[in-house]
Amino acid sequence: MADENPAVRRLSDWEPEPLRDIADEYGTPLYVQDVGRVRENAVRLREAFPDADIAYAVKANTTHAVLSALERAGIAAECASAGEVQRSLDAGFPPERIRYTAVNPPDVDLDHVCALDGVDELTITVGARDTLDRVAERGFDGPLCVRVNPGVGAGHHAKVSTGAEPKFGVPYDRAADLCRKAADRGFDLVGVHAHAGSGISGEDLSAHRELVARMGELTREIADLDPEFVAVGGGFGVPYRESEEPLDLTRVAAATREAIGETDARLAIEPGRYFVADAGVLLTTVNTVKPTPETTVVGIDAGMTTLLRPAMYDAYHAVRSLEPDLPRKDPVSCELSGPVCETADVLGRDRTLPDPTRGDLLAIGNAGAYGYEMASTYNSRPRPAVVSLDGTLVSLSVERERLSNLTALERSAGDSDGSAVDGERDADGGTNQW
């Protein structure tokens, strides 16, 4: 099993010839997602946490192929928006295997979720007393979970460390009181939830352990309410640099079980990137090679609108050339620059590549999580296509946007079809996005 299901899939493990064939057929920039690898990662998580309730943090990658593969693998869905709930339902997740964990949800989101068929089986997680009141006003009486701010955070970047950020969850010292108020109001309190952050590694396992210990204490404090589960988030990291070791998932699982202590509530985890990051690559084509005194600027057709993580988080993604004549090329230090008019539009600095030539095909690794999900149309650039791999089967998951798509929703001042620019208004004056 170890050889068939390694702890991490490196960019060098991808066979170049099939990727070249895919790029020839579908063009670039192009995301390629291997759903077989997604299933392998699900198996590894299940083996490390055999008794846990495992949910996938849908925001990492919402493509239908990924969602349907994880649904068939028996994984639950943890959703941060009404849109993610709807995508999960469309992919086959039954309501009882969906947790809606929204942060400051807009009214239109709550309206949609609370009106769904089977909503009485879907778990809604609230992170504020206001949110509790708002779901009550909509007549929701299904399973309820309370999100807790444990006062401790972890993660690969300050922008994804959620555990100590006041935006997320009820302050720890008020959580038990809100749980009791919810139960007194007739809600079916099924659990409590906290999330330290994203990209947790062995280096910050102590913060994860502290969060889990606090959640264990809270669960024992409200044991009389008989919570079914205690969710300690996910955020398990993957090694983006080739020199980094993969996460010791067995060690993380053991530390989690030890830290939570004795409780009748079932442990729940909600990884996102761990399922999908190393299952995806981004293919891009060199269009400009510009030697400068500082470096060789390699212009590519993917940029920060295609893959935002380097500009947003200073994230590192491995890069390799997929050209077949590499042995004949000398190594060159490069800066990989995209086509967006921003200084931040650089996907990699000080990278060594075989002497690049216009038309070369490059692959960018660990692009399966928060890649296509964070793509945008800034600079009026259409978003890329997504292709799914399942063994030898290659299929188009998401079509490439075209320039005509960018203006499809726009209305000019002379239009008289009665619709507002930002969508039709409902009877209460709100925007109905559904």
Side-chain angles (χ1 to χ4, degrees), residues 22-94:
I22 291 171
D24 286 342
E25 181 172 358
Y26 295 99
T28 63
L30 178 72
Y31 279 102
V32 179
Q33 195 75 29
D34 186 344
V35 294
R37 178 60 183 173
V38 173
R39 287 193 294 267
E40 289 179 358
N41 290 337
V43 168
R44 190 175 314 102
L45 282 162
R46 183 72 72 193
E47 290 176 344
F49 294 89
D51 301 321
D53 176 2
I54 304 177
Y56 167 58
V58 171
K59 67 177 182 176
N61 186 316
T62 62
T63 54
H64 186 87
V66 167
L67 292 178
S68 59
L70 289 173
E71 190 283 322
R72 290 193 298 270
I75 304 298
E78 188 265 329
C79 304
S81 70
E84 290 180 5
V85 170
Q86 190 62 57
R87 283 177 178 267
S88 299
L89 291 168
D90 292 347
F93 285 90

Side-chain angles (χ1 to χ4, degrees), residues 370-391:
Y370 307 105
Y372 184 78
E373 288 305 308
M374 300 180 80
S376 75
T377 59
Y378 179 52
N379 270 195
S380 290
R381 302 205 61 81
R383 288 178 295 178
V386 182
V387 164
S388 294
L389 294 179
D390 197 348

Side-chain angles (χ1 to χ4, degrees), residues 156-370:
H156 67 85
H157 192 281
K159 292 180 181 178
V160 298
S161 181
T162 60
E165 166 57 48
K167 171 179 178 175
F168 298 98
V170 181
Y172 183 83
D173 59 357
R174 304 177 195 171
D177 180 62
L178 185 60
C179 288
R180 296 192 186 284
K181 281 184 168 57
D184 290 344
R185 294 175 62 174
F187 283 101
D188 178 16
L189 183 76
V190 294
V192 289
H193 161 99
H195 197 303
S198 184
I200 296 171
S201 68
E203 295 179 359
D204 50 19
L205 194 56
S206 59
H208 174 71
R209 187 184 290 110
E210 184 177 354
L211 174 143
V212 174
R214 293 187 182 187
M215 293 304 292
E217 292 173 5
L218 175 62
T219 306
R220 287 184 286 276
E221 184 178 348
I222 60 170
D224 57 303
L225 301 179
D226 197 24
E228 297 175 13
F229 66 85
V230 51
V232 294
F236 300 147
V238 297
Y240 282 85
R241 294 179 182 270
E242 299 286 353
S243 59
E244 294 173 347
E245 292 296 320
L247 184 67
D248 187 341
L249 202 58
T250 302
R251 177 170 171 251
V252 172
T256 302
R257 285 189 289 267
E258 179 184 357
I260 203 166
E262 292 295 326
T263 175
D264 292 332
R266 187 181 185 190
L267 173 68
I269 59 172
E270 299 162 348
R273 100 176 52 239
Y274 194 88
F275 282 104
V276 293
D278 72 350
V281 295
L282 171 62
L283 303 183
T284 182
T285 301
V286 175
N287 55 48
T288 305
V289 179
K290 180 172 62 175
T292 73
E294 299 85 3
T295 186
T296 297
V297 176
V298 178
I300 53 179
D301 60 6
M304 62 185 289
T305 56
T306 319
L307 179 64
L308 180 61
R309 296 188 73 255
M312 182 79 166
Y313 306 123
D314 295 323
Y316 179 97
H317 287 262
V319 181
R320 65 178 287 201
S321 175
L322 298 179
E323 293 303 305
D325 59 347
L326 300 184
R328 300 200 308 270
K329 293 190 171 186
D330 294 328
V332 175
S333 179
C334 305
E335 175 181 295
L336 299 174
S337 297
V340 179
C341 188
E342 294 282 351
T343 305
D345 186 36
V346 176
L347 298 191
R349 301 181 191 275
D350 301 321
R351 303 303 184 86
T352 301
L353 289 173
D355 193 8
T357 304
R358 185 165 12 115
D360 283 358
L361 181 66
L362 306 180
I364 299 174
N366 273 350
Y370 307 105

Side-chain angles (χ1 to χ4, degrees), residues 408-426 431-432:
L409 300 179
E410 294 183 10
R411 297 289 183 270
S412 66
D415 288 345
S416 57
D417 61 0
S419 63
V421 172
D422 58 347
E424 294 182 358
R425 297 285 176 174
D426 61 26
T431 303
N432 181 7

